[in-house]
């Protein structure tokens, strides 16, 4: 039986990574120590923390328990990070559109908003990869 290729981590999985990195940093726990507490290899933990592999539900349960957050608490805090970043991305996009409109001389045609947003979206996506 062939295994399906895994999808790259999405924004919510990346938010989990960001939260876990922050938590282990605050608690002075190394990736190796986290891996040991989870009963996983260091590479298993590193791949998830560095967004090479998507977190799964079992990971959330285990990491949540190790960090005394529980799966629910870990997920909710990661969701807050995700929503905040999504909001900031939208704000930045609006700012870029307005800035380019303001900077366009009156004698020129103002850039198309949809085109500006698409260019900005591509730029943000490239920065995330």
């Amino acid at each position: 039986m062939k295994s399906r290729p895994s999808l790259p981590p999405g924004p919510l999985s990346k938010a989990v990574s960001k939260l876990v990195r922050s938590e282990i940093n605050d608690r002075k726990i190394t990736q190796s120590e986290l891996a040991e507490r989870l009963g996983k290899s260091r590479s298993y933990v590193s791949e998830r923390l560095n967004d090479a592999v998507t977190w799964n539900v079992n990971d959330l349960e285990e990491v949540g328990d190790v960090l005394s957050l529980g799966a629910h608490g870990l997920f909710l805090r990661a969701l807050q990070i995700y929503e905040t970043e999504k909001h900031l991305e939208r704000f930045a996009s609006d700012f870029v559109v307005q800035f380019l409109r303001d900077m366009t001389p009156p004698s020129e045609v103002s850039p198309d908003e949809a085109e500006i947003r698409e260019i900005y979206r591509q730029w943000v996506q490239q920065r995330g990869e």
Side-chain angles (χ1 to χ4, degrees):
M1 177 193 233
K2 289 184 180 179
S3 63
R4 291 188 321 195
S6 62
L7 296 173
L12 188 52
S13 183
K14 290 179 179 182
V16 170
S17 299
K18 188 176 210 173
L19 173 61
V20 174
R21 284 192 308 266
S22 174
E23 286 292 324
I24 66 173
N25 184 52
D26 290 350
R27 298 165 191 237
K28 311 280 191 266
I29 299 171
T30 66
Q31 287 186 22
S32 296
E33 290 171 323
L34 179 62
E36 186 177 318
R37 292 180 191 186
L38 292 170
K40 307 283 185 190
S41 69
R42 187 184 181 294
S43 63
Y44 183 93
V45 171
S46 179
E47 288 174 337
R48 282 147 186 81
L49 289 175
N50 294 310
D51 298 320
V53 175
T54 301
W55 295 89
N56 66 43
V57 175
N58 293 335
D59 294 330
L60 295 180
E61 290 175 349
E62 293 167 1
V63 172
D65 288 345
V66 166
L67 297 177
S68 302
L69 299 171
H72 185 253
L74 181 70
F75 180 77
L76 287 179
R77 290 182 61 190
L79 188 59
Q80 287 175 327
I81 291 169
Y82 166 75
E83 290 294 331
T84 299
E85 289 179 351
K86 189 169 75 171
H87 175 74
L88 289 175
E89 210 171 280
R90 175 65 184 180
F91 173 78
S93 177
D94 291 346
F95 177 81
V96 168
V97 169
Q98 190 59 49
F99 176 78
L100 289 175
R101 281 188 178 150
D102 292 347
M103 298 307 293
T104 303
S107 60
E108 295 180 21
V109 176
S110 184
D112 176 59
E113 182 175 339
E115 183 180 0
I116 294 169
R117 288 189 189 281
E118 179 59 22
I119 292 167
Y120 179 76
R121 185 193 64 74
Q122 290 174 7
W123 178 77
V124 168
Q125 185 176 16
Q126 287 174 350
R127 288 185 57 222
E129 294 176 354

